[in-house]
Amino acid sequence: MQEIRLASRPTGWPTADNFELAELPTPAPGPGQVLIRNRFMSVDPYMRGRMNDVESYVAPFEIGKALDGAAIGEVVASNAEQVPVGATVLHGLGWRDFAVADAAHVRVVDPAAAPTLSAYLGLLGMTGLTAYVGLLDIAQFRAGDVVFVSGAAGAVGSVVGQIARLRGAKRVIGSAGSAEKVRHLVDDLGFDAAFNYKDAPVRQQLRDAAPDGIDVYFDNVGGDHLEAAIGSLNKFGRVALCGAIAQYNETSAPATPRNLALAIGKELNLRGFIVGNHRDRMPEFVAEVGGWLRAGEIESRETVVEGLAAAPEAFLGLMRGENTGKMVVKLG
Amino acid sequence: MQEIRLASRPTGWPTADNFELAELPTPAPGPGQVLIRNRFMSVDPYMRGRMNDVESYVAPFEIGKALDGAAIGEVVASNAEQVPVGATVLHGLGWRDFAVADAAHVRVVDPAAAPTLSAYLGLLGMTGLTAYVGLLDIAQFRAGDVVFVSGAAGAVGSVVGQIARLRGAKRVIGSAGSAEKVRHLVDDLGFDAAFNYKDAPVRQQLRDAAPDGIDVYFDNVGGDHLEAAIGSLNKFGRVALCGAIAQYNETSAPATPRNLALAIGKELNLRGFIVGNHRDRMPEFVAEVGGWLRAGEIESRETVVEGLAAAPEAFLGLMRGENTGKMVVKLG
């Protein structure tokens, strides 16, 4: 089997040198364990934080050991009755082609219930749940709201915008980093407006796109995007603080938002969240989003990279914003 | 009668030149109106914002016209049965010694129910309600929380700290701007710890005072205080954004907090509020805080300035932090 290990901790932007591919004997499952042949693994922005030697809501990766993260695969050997050979399972041991996991730590899923196996890592997985919980529970979205989402062509942002549209937003606005992504948001995903944040200051482009202000901001970016959103938020506006990809690779803290004191008079509510503490919403999420997916009302674009050896490059591409929709690595 | 008018709009720190004292004939009350002889008027930090020509949650003051704000006085002439001569009334026409008000816009209070009339502007008025709503409803204080409040020797902050103590905080920490205020917080108001923010970086002093972190931050200051609090907040910490006095007189926006992205992993909730939208809490507030006051469990320190002509200087002193507790002007 092969696995990707953290060779060294990046300072600032990570590079290929921070990763190494290792080969080792495929292990046999112990009692109560299963051997999984991985089919897809996820690369996610939050993994950048785990490359730093900082205690956070998840433990840091360790140098010289395999990275981990969400993956889906097939059971090829089993010492656990409830997870037989042939079962398709979701689990947390990505960044390797074979994985031995405790049967209690995997979730058996129905491969026929999704358009592709990789959807369980994206639209129908924690990525989609992040969008759902952040928009509906954290930002308390209500029909009639004007919604702005940054990183809107990304895995989470693209789902946020579509849920807002399907749930009756007055107007959905997205920012992204290329003209092609902006076109995708408007033409394919049904955003009412979108802009390329590289074209002009976010503050100005957001004002043009939302002349009457916004009610909800779903933040995947931080920095200038958050400052612009605070400026455009209406009275009683709400912010879901989900990510801050603009600053994950910076070595000094950003000097934004400078206008946070506006939150007093506007009576804004800004709330950070981690999807892991909201797993109880999975059944409602799967029912509602799964229904939209079967009805063809929601699109699940993915950017697929082939082969475990390319996983570091997939992650680096994600950091640079090269993906549209969920970035996954196809294995085996 | 005399009144204080806005002579010009301040840029940065206000000065005495921004105010002018005017004399005019005492008006007679019209139908449904009362003439009030003011006894006390309030000066409050939010008034600084109204001196700018910016639409906010209250309209800006107008150049050449009297300022306004909370005041309490006695009715000396009345054309309204429900508000007779001799009644003590709370109303919004401060910054003058006599005021004509619609009877519908004044609130009759019992002067015997408070230790001094001025308490209706401070502990038992909107100032106390601000502390009560901000701590209990906005920051969702719970017994056992570690609470940090900035501007802790001020009108709102001193009440926040005492309510937190009386409601069962694990530890109450305050910041203030002089050694004497720090002593007052610990010796007179029962704070567990306090520090002078001018002595050393807030971040460092807060860490020393709360080595296990804080659960609630009540923000009256903004800037470096808010950044330090975000750094010290524990998982699921809550922030009531009430004021930002550190920046009201600055001409450029502060480059803090630089660490707002920590709110994601810590799942923090930051919420701005204006007390005016929470008047429905007045009955519970008066019952609970009034009870503490009668039992001698809460202290209501005031800084009293004498005479309408001194009102601008009282306001400027408030901006400079010269008050301990509520700053009021005694009239007549």
Side-chain angles (χ1 to χ4, degrees):
Chain A
M1 67 167 285
Q2 292 186 313
E3 65 185 24
I4 305 284
R5 296 176 178 168
L6 185 67
S8 57
R9 299 196 185 281
T11 304
W13 283 83
T15 65
D17 292 344
N18 299 127
F19 303 86
E20 63 188 355
L21 181 70
E23 199 143 339
L24 57 166
T26 305
Q33 292 187 321
V34 294
L35 176 66
I36 305 156
R37 181 188 195 101
N38 280 334
R39 292 301 183 190
F40 288 95
M41 58 163 273
S42 179
V43 291
D44 299 283
Y46 81 87
M47 292 171 174
R48 176 63 189 86
R50 296 187 65 192
M51 292 176 188
N52 298 332
D53 191 17
V54 173
E55 270 310 319
S56 175
Y57 59 98
V58 265
F61 293 129
E62 289 179 56
I63 292 175
K65 296 205 174 163
L67 305 173
D68 58 66
I72 191 165
E74 281 131 24
V75 173
V76 292
S78 173
N79 287 325
E81 267 181 29
Q82 71 276 30
V83 186
V85 169
T88 299
V89 292
L90 258 177
H91 61 97
L93 293 170
W95 294 92
R96 65 202 82 189
D97 54 3
F98 285 91
V100 167
D102 289 345
H105 293 161
V106 308
R107 183 158 75 90
V108 178
V109 298
D110 176 6
T116 67
L117 280 189
S118 53
Y120 280 112
L121 301 178
L123 180 65
L124 294 177
M126 296 304 271
T127 299
L129 183 63
T130 300
Y132 191 82
V133 164
L135 181 68
L136 302 182
D137 299 344
I138 304 298
Q140 300 274 313
F141 168 82
R142 295 183 291 257
D145 281 342
V146 176
V147 174
F148 172 49
V149 54
S150 55
V156 170
S158 60
V159 182
V160 169
Q162 293 183 89
I163 295 176
R165 169 174 57 74
L166 289 160
R167 279 280 196 119
K170 185 175 179 186
R171 190 169 166 78
V172 181
I173 299 151
S175 70
S178 75
E180 170 51 26
K181 286 180 179 178
V182 165
R183 190 210 57 73
H184 172 60
L185 292 176
V186 174
D187 293 351
D188 304 331
L189 302 187
F191 279 61
D192 297 287
F195 59 82
N196 180 348
Y197 68 84
K198 296 171 181 169
D199 284 350
V202 177
R203 188 183 183 89
Q204 178 194 319
Q205 294 196 77
L206 179 58
R207 276 189 186 158
D208 292 346
D212 297 325
I214 61 175
D215 303 299
V216 162
Y217 173 50
F218 192 109
D219 190 18
N220 291 309
V221 170
D224 60 344
H225 276 79
L226 179 54
E227 182 169 292
I230 290 171
S232 278
L233 275 159
N234 293 324
K235 186 89 182 170
F236 301 114
R238 291 141 276 141
V239 178
L241 300 168
C242 180
I245 199 165
Q247 55 201 75
Y248 291 160
N249 298 307
E250 300 301 322
T251 49
S252 63
T256 49
R258 290 162 296 191
N259 58 352
L260 185 57
L262 291 177
I264 302 169
K266 292 185 180 187
E267 305 194 55
L268 305 183
N269 194 340
L270 294 86
R271 199 171 153 202
F273 78 107
I274 296 299
V275 69
N277 289 325
H278 299 271
R279 289 174 199 267
D280 58 312
R281 290 283 270 157
M282 192 57 101
E284 295 94 330
F285 157 70
V286 167
E288 187 162 12
V289 175
W292 286 326
L293 187 62
R294 283 187 295 277
E297 294 181 310
I298 195 165
E299 178 175 326
S300 170
R301 179 80 59 104
E302 291 174 351
T303 301
V304 182
V305 169
E306 298 268 344
L308 182 66
E313 193 43 50
F315 178 76
L316 299 175
L318 174 75
M319 289 287 109
R320 291 189 295 259
E322 290 170 4
N323 57 305
T324 298
K326 178 72 182 176
M327 177 81 101
V328 291
V329 180
K330 190 172 182 189
L331 303 172
Chain B
M1 67 166 285
Q2 292 186 313
E3 65 185 24
I4 306 284
R5 296 175 178 169
L6 184 68
S8 57
R9 299 197 185 280
T11 304
W13 283 84
T15 68
D17 292 345
N18 299 127
F19 302 87
E20 63 189 356
L21 181 70
E23 199 143 339
L24 57 167
T26 304
Q33 291 187 322
V34 294
L35 177 66
I36 305 156
R37 181 189 195 98
N38 280 335
R39 292 300 181 190
F40 288 95
M41 59 164 271
S42 180
V43 289
D44 300 283
Y46 81 88
M47 293 170 173
R48 176 63 188 85
R50 296 186 65 192
M51 294 175 185
N52 299 331
D53 191 17
V54 173
E55 270 309 320
S56 175
Y57 59 99
V58 266
F61 294 130
E62 289 179 56
I63 291 174
K65 297 207 173 161
L67 304 174
D68 58 63
I72 190 165
E74 280 130 27
V75 173
V76 293
S78 173
N79 287 325
E81 267 180 29
Q82 70 277 31
V83 186
V85 169
T88 300
V89 293
L90 257 177
H91 60 98
L93 294 168
W95 295 92
R96 66 203 80 190
D97 54 3
F98 286 91
V100 167
D102 290 345
H105 293 161
V106 309
R107 184 158 75 90
V108 178
V109 298
D110 175 7
T116 67
L117 281 188
S118 54
Y120 281 112
L121 302 178
L123 180 65
L124 294 177
M126 295 305 271
T127 298
L129 184 63
T130 301
Y132 191 82
V133 164
L135 181 68
L136 303 183
D137 300 343
I138 304 297
Q140 299 276 311
F141 169 82
R142 296 183 291 256
D145 280 343
V146 176
V147 174
F148 171 50
V149 54
S150 55
V156 171
S158 59
V159 183
V160 169
Q162 293 182 89
I163 295 175
R165 171 175 54 76
L166 289 160
R167 279 283 196 116
K170 184 176 180 185
R171 190 169 166 79
V172 181
I173 299 150
S175 70
S178 76
E180 171 51 26
K181 287 181 179 177
V182 166
R183 191 210 56 73
H184 171 61
L185 293 176
V186 174
D187 292 352
D188 304 331
L189 303 188
F191 280 61
D192 298 286
F195 59 84
N196 180 347
Y197 68 84
K198 296 169 181 170
D199 284 349
V202 178
R203 188 183 183 87
Q204 178 193 320
Q205 295 195 78
L206 179 57
R207 277 189 188 161
D208 290 346
D212 296 325
I214 62 175
D215 303 300
V216 162
Y217 173 50
F218 192 108
D219 191 19
N220 292 308
V221 171
D224 59 344
H225 276 79
L226 180 53
E227 182 169 291
I230 290 171
S232 279
L233 276 160
N234 293 325
K235 187 87 183 171
F236 301 115
R238 289 141 277 140
V239 178
L241 299 168
C242 179
I245 200 166
Q247 58 201 72
Y248 291 160
N249 298 307
E250 300 301 321
T251 49
S252 63
T256 50
R258 290 162 296 190
N259 59 353
L260 184 56
L262 291 177
I264 302 169
K266 292 186 181 188
E267 304 194 53
L268 305 182
N269 194 342
L270 293 87
R271 198 171 153 201
F273 77 107
I274 296 300
V275 69
N277 290 326
H278 299 270
R279 287 173 200 270
D280 58 312
R281 289 283 271 157
M282 191 58 100
E284 294 94 330
F285 157 70
V286 167
E288 186 163 12
V289 175
W292 287 326
L293 188 62
R294 283 188 296 277
E297 294 181 310
I298 195 165
E299 179 175 325
S300 172
R301 181 78 60 101
E302 291 175 350
T303 300
V304 182
V305 169
E306 297 268 345
L308 183 65
E313 193 44 50
F315 178 76
L316 299 176
L318 175 74
M319 288 287 109
R320 291 189 295 259
E322 290 169 4
N323 57 305
T324 298
K326 178 73 183 176
M327 178 80 101
V328 291
V329 181
K330 190 172 181 187
L331 303 172

